[in-house]
Amino acid sequence: MDSIIKVDNIGVSYQMTKDDENLKTYLRNFFKKKDKKVFWALRNVSFEIKKGEILGVVGANGSGKSTLLKVLGKIFEPDEGQITIDGTPSALLSLGTGFRRELSGYENILLNGVMLGFAKEVVAQNIQNIIDFSELGDFIHEPVKNYSSGMSARLGFSIAAFLHKEIMLIDEVLGVGDRSFKRKSQAKMKELIQDKSRTVIIVSHNLDSILEYATKVLWINKSKFMMLDKPEKVLEKYIKSQS
Amino acid sequence: MGLIPQEIKAVLKKKDLIKYLVLSDLKTNYKGKALGFLWMLLDPLFMMLVYVILVVFIFKRGGAQFPILLFSALISWRWFVQSTSNSLKTFKSNGNLIKSINVPLHVFPINTNTLGFTAFIASFTVLIPMLFIFDATINLNILWFPILVAIQLLFTIGFSFIFAVAGVYFSDLHNIMAFTFKLWFYFSPALYDLSAIPIKFRTIYLVINPFASLFESYKNVLVHGTPPNKFIILFLIEAIALTYIGPKWITKSRPYIVKKV
């Protein structure tokens, strides 16, 4: 079977600026030939994923995991190398990103849905499921600013659980809310991830969840590719390197 | 068809997103205030009152039609300033979103422009009865008005696209513009008439300040019943240039913007 995602030797760089760029520093640097410091958040990383596979990504903080997710989500292009994706990736928003406080939960579902790139008809089809899953009841028509943090998280999770595409990019698998909702959301997550029609990439510090879901694991360290193999093999080495 | 940049076509596909963004911002800005959407009418009215008090009562200047001459220019200026200065911050204030999902950046300045334009239309409805009260000459030249509005819309959107990117490159542009906009307004014939500018400087004045010809044209078609100032052609050319360059600059700067906000 052909690869659904093919990552070929990519690199992503950030320009380091000492302080915030403003007109003063710009004018000062205009005449000086400044040696721009470039920081590579990711370099020489390659891998392929087939349909239905679940790729776990591990690495210490600042190793480039989130940058990898952003490039896969087409938020920006890599500065080097190439990515080919056959399908539409959707990022799971970290819960509540993009919520407008003055709007009701209901309106936020609509806004969030179209922002994620779904047609408003698709959002409308799913909206009842989202409301039911969130267990917000009549609160759904209250402004989000009146929600408790648990309620916002529940709404955020419910949107993510029903509005996603064939390729899912997940930054930390989490359960949210109180104990019963946590159990319910974790079960939903598991159902989504293990659906064979879906290709999933999970970035996580929680090695248990990586081990539970991933069919293979990519280890990156300090922006560099370390290893790509079966979960047990990679995690064994990764844990050793950590201790 | 090649005349319409690719970027504009892509944005038109996102009209649902723009619609929801505009509706949500309208609600956020006006809901929960006692007078709500009435502020769209009251804001420009109060601002005009301040200037009328200043010019007519303190400086003892301005003729009988001064309030409508001023208002014709003032609502156009408020539209421009509101749209462009909000565009300056729009990528930063939507930073979290821009960093998390693949959304075309052009929708954000278009959103602020739709809001600015809506406020302009609201304030124009205040101007209409005033034109009759202050005895404006209304004839067929009024048909120029929608054309002038269309040209300004083009100019303001183009300018906003460029400003949106510039605002990310230079974080203190916001402070500079707060001051520059004020100066620019006093430098434009809103509080005074174009005839206040000495004849020998008038051409150069009209060339370097696009708002000179625009304000003069609004006053002509709305109050005097005469055709627009001919320098409006220059304004149109600048408008087309800005709207052509702006969207391309956003596309080109996307990696920088996403990493920086």
Side-chain angles (χ1 to χ4, degrees):
Chain A
M1 207 159 58
D2 280 342
S3 304
I4 203 157
I5 297 178
K6 200 173 168 205
V7 172
D8 189 13
N9 208 18
I10 57 159
V12 176
S13 66
Y14 284 80
Q15 262 177 33
M16 305 264 277
T17 37
K18 261 197 192 125
D19 36 20
D20 206 12
E21 240 168 69
N22 53 36
L23 279 175
K24 197 178 99 190
T25 55
Y26 180 80
L27 290 175
R28 200 168 50 203
N29 293 332
F30 189 77
F31 299 100
K32 287 195 284 187
K33 208 173 160 68
K34 62 172 173 183
D35 46 330
K36 277 179 185 162
K37 268 193 189 157
V38 170
F39 164 72
W40 288 90
L42 209 58
R43 207 162 198 194
N44 303 328
V45 174
S46 304
F47 60 87
E48 286 180 28
I49 315 174
K50 295 185 175 66
K51 189 175 179 184
E53 279 193 310
I54 302 161
L55 177 76
V57 183
V58 294
N61 276 330
S63 56
K65 303 187 300 294
S66 301
T67 306
L68 178 63
L69 273 196
K70 283 179 185 163
V71 188
L72 289 171
K74 296 181 177 172
I75 289 162
F76 48 74
E77 300 273 308
D79 299 288
E80 286 180 354
Q82 251 187 340
I83 295 186
T84 13
I85 300 178
D86 181 17
T88 323
S90 66
L92 280 196
L93 286 179
S94 57
L95 303 174
T97 301
F99 277 178
R100 307 262 161 150
R101 290 169 43 78
E102 300 290 329
L103 297 189
S104 71
Y106 190 90
E107 291 163 320
N108 268 303
I109 299 175
L110 294 172
L111 181 63
N112 234 297
V114 291
M115 273 203 242
L116 287 165
F118 293 90
K120 62 173 192 266
E121 294 76 19
V122 179
V123 183
Q125 277 165 22
N126 285 287
I127 201 159
Q128 199 52 49
N129 289 334
I130 294 171
I131 297 168
D132 291 345
F133 194 89
S134 71
E135 298 173 11
L136 283 171
D138 290 339
F139 272 102
I140 201 71
H141 297 292
E142 286 287 313
V144 165
K145 64 178 175 192
N146 297 342
Y147 286 15
S148 68
S149 53
M151 289 162 80
S152 309
R154 261 151 57 192
L155 184 61
F157 182 89
S158 308
I159 295 173
F162 288 93
L163 295 175
H164 46 73
K165 300 196 167 155
E166 61 264 43
I167 302 167
M168 269 170 78
L169 309 172
I170 303 173
D171 202 344
E172 292 295 343
V173 188
L174 5 102
V176 296
D178 58 18
R179 267 181 64 171
S180 79
F181 195 85
K182 197 169 236 160
R183 208 170 301 144
K184 185 171 112 171
S185 54
Q186 274 164 345
K188 182 75 189 173
M189 205 70 179
K190 187 168 179 165
E191 179 196 322
L192 287 174
I193 293 172
Q194 293 183 334
D195 183 337
K196 284 277 174 274
S197 68
R198 214 163 269 130
T199 310
V200 183
I201 296 171
I202 308 172
V203 164
S204 183
H205 287 293
N206 183 348
L207 300 184
D208 290 337
S209 63
I210 294 272
L211 201 57
E212 185 182 354
Y213 298 119
T215 54
K216 59 181 174 182
V217 172
L218 168 71
W219 171 20
I220 44 182
N221 187 36
K222 290 183 183 149
S223 328
K224 297 253 161 45
F225 174 92
M226 297 296 282
M227 211 178 160
L228 173 69
D229 210 330
K230 292 209 172 68
E232 301 78 20
K233 284 189 180 171
V234 179
L235 290 185
E236 194 196 319
K237 293 230 167 119
Y238 174 62
I239 291 164
K240 256 187 201 160
S241 79
Q242 296 260 295
S243 51
Chain B
M1 287 299 111
L3 275 177
I4 303 167
Q6 208 59 44
E7 285 80 11
I8 302 289
K9 287 183 194 160
V11 164
L12 291 178
K13 285 193 192 129
K14 294 281 173 185
K15 57 182 191 304
D16 281 344
L17 173 54
I18 294 166
K19 192 179 93 186
Y20 281 123
L21 278 176
V22 169
L23 287 177
S24 71
D25 279 354
L26 279 177
K27 269 194 184 162
T28 311
N29 292 348
Y30 294 101
K31 214 183 165 188
K33 290 181 185 168
L35 294 173
F37 288 102
L38 254 169
W39 279 111
M40 275 203 195
L41 311 178
L42 295 176
D43 269 339
L45 210 56
F46 284 150
M47 193 160 169
M48 184 201 63
L49 272 177
V50 169
Y51 283 120
V52 167
I53 290 169
L54 183 76
V55 174
V56 177
F57 295 100
I58 300 181
F59 294 130
K60 313 270 184 219
R61 300 281 289 272
Q65 289 184 319
F66 179 72
I68 47 172
L69 286 170
L70 169 64
F71 206 65
S72 312
L74 191 63
I75 59 174
S76 141
W77 180 251
R78 281 175 57 88
W79 164 22
F80 176 71
V81 171
Q82 192 188 335
S83 296
T84 51
S85 55
N86 284 337
S87 296
L88 203 55
K89 301 174 283 190
T90 191
F91 289 151
K92 274 209 175 127
S93 49
N94 289 293
N96 266 336
L97 211 59
I98 289 171
K99 276 188 283 196
S100 345
I101 49 175
N102 174 14
V103 57
L105 296 178
H106 304 78
V107 302
F108 296 107
I110 288 189
N111 172 39
T112 58
N113 269 273
T114 315
L115 293 167
F117 186 62
T118 312
F120 168 74
I121 294 297
S123 37
F124 180 65
T125 61
V126 179
L127 177 61
I128 296 170
M130 284 173 53
L131 289 177
F132 289 99
I133 296 168
F134 287 92
D135 203 21
T137 311
I138 293 178
N139 54 28
L140 274 182
N141 278 311
I142 194 93
L143 293 177
W144 282 104
F145 179 70
I147 298 171
L148 292 175
V149 169
I151 299 174
Q152 192 189 339
L153 187 62
L154 209 58
F155 185 90
T156 310
I157 290 180
F159 204 96
S160 300
F161 281 146
I162 297 200
F163 249 43
V165 183
V168 180
Y169 276 96
F170 309 111
S171 49
D172 50 1
L173 194 58
H174 179 66
N175 309 54
I176 295 167
M177 284 322 288
F179 164 76
T180 310
F181 274 139
K182 281 212 174 68
L183 207 62
W184 192 351
F185 178 67
Y186 295 132
F187 187 63
S188 309
L191 290 170
Y192 50 89
D193 215 60
L194 185 62
S195 57
I197 307 290
I199 293 231
K200 56 177 177 175
F201 296 128
R202 213 172 282 168
T203 306
I204 180 84
Y205 176 70
L206 282 161
V207 170
I208 57 171
N209 183 2
F211 277 88
S213 59
L214 185 71
F215 286 174
E216 184 64 12
S217 300
Y218 275 129
K219 289 177 174 181
N220 283 357
V221 305
L222 290 172
V223 182
H224 300 311
T226 53
N229 184 288
K230 59 180 187 294
F231 281 92
I232 199 72
I233 288 291
L234 200 61
F235 190 82
L236 174 63
I237 293 168
E238 287 164 352
I240 293 171
L242 286 172
T243 319
Y244 194 78
I245 300 164
K248 291 193 189 303
W249 199 32
I250 293 188
T251 308
K252 197 165 165 276
S253 312
R254 185 183 171 95
Y256 180 83
I257 294 168
V258 174
K259 287 172 189 172
K260 182 89 185 286
V261 291

